[in-house]
Amino acid sequence: MSESEMNTLTIADAVKLLKIYGCDTENQDNSPTAIKQLRKALLMVAQESEWENLGICADNLVQGLEALQSYLEALGYSYDFSQKDRKPENLEESVYIKFNTRKMNYYADTYTGNSRGVLVAMQGDDEAIIGTYGHFPLNLFNETSD
């Protein structure tokens, strides 16, 4: 998608792009241009949702919380992670973190699956956008914009 096409991205185009990303990460385009396009589409659709649930599958708790924090900041949320007391016993094990932006709360638990990435479930009444999208790269919002 060219720069001018990215500037005229519609909600329908954004949803279509988000639906490309799934558990099959081998066929995803992770070029700088595609990542920039993905960021824009995700933020556009999230802006139209009422709230989001984020699901993070990561190698460990630190990696998962870093990804969660970067997504929350990109989506316009602020959360103090230092106050959270329920964490998995072993910080080095693979982890699943679920965050609800309506309740502004999360839980984390050990995870035995092989998937890594972020799922974003758009919530609300607009059937054109509601749904679960991803797995998106853990570092989607950590990379610098072009």
Side-chain angles (χ1 to χ4, degrees), residues 128-145:
I129 64 161
I130 59 172
T132 301
Y133 305 98
H135 289 97
F136 302 118
L138 290 166
N139 63 352
L140 180 65
F141 292 105
N142 292 354
E143 299 174 16
T144 57
S145 299

Side-chain angles (χ1 to χ4, degrees), residues 84-135:
K84 188 62 183 166
D85 58 353
R86 285 183 8 196
K87 295 181 180 174
E89 294 291 318
N90 186 342
L91 299 180
E92 296 306 314
E93 290 182 13
S94 298
V95 65
Y96 175 75
I97 303 168
K98 184 174 182 181
F99 192 99
N100 181 307
T101 62
R102 179 179 254 181
K103 296 180 181 180
M104 293 305 289
N105 198 5
Y106 78 95
Y107 74 86
D109 204 351
T110 55
Y111 171 70
T112 58
N114 294 323
S115 296
R116 297 292 181 268
V118 178
L119 295 170
V120 181
M122 303 296 176
Q123 307 294 322
D125 293 327
D126 186 349
E127 291 188 21
I129 64 161
I130 59 172
T132 301
Y133 305 98
H135 289 97

Side-chain angles (χ1 to χ4, degrees), residues 43-102:
L43 295 176
M44 178 182 274
V45 174
Q47 187 174 22
E48 297 298 315
S49 73
E50 293 178 32
W51 79 95
E52 304 82 31
N53 289 328
L54 304 175
I56 314 263
C57 298
D59 289 333
N60 57 59
L61 185 63
V62 171
Q63 181 188 50
L65 290 178
E66 286 174 356
L68 176 57
Q69 185 167 6
S70 71
Y71 272 76
L72 288 175
E73 287 174 2
L75 294 169
Y77 297 103
S78 177
Y79 185 80
D80 182 5
F81 288 95
S82 66
Q83 300 302 313
K84 188 62 183 166
D85 58 353
R86 285 183 8 196
K87 295 181 180 174
E89 294 291 318
N90 186 342
L91 299 180
E92 296 306 314
E93 290 182 13
S94 298
V95 65
Y96 175 75
I97 303 168
K98 184 174 182 181
F99 192 99
N100 181 307
T101 62
R102 179 179 254 181

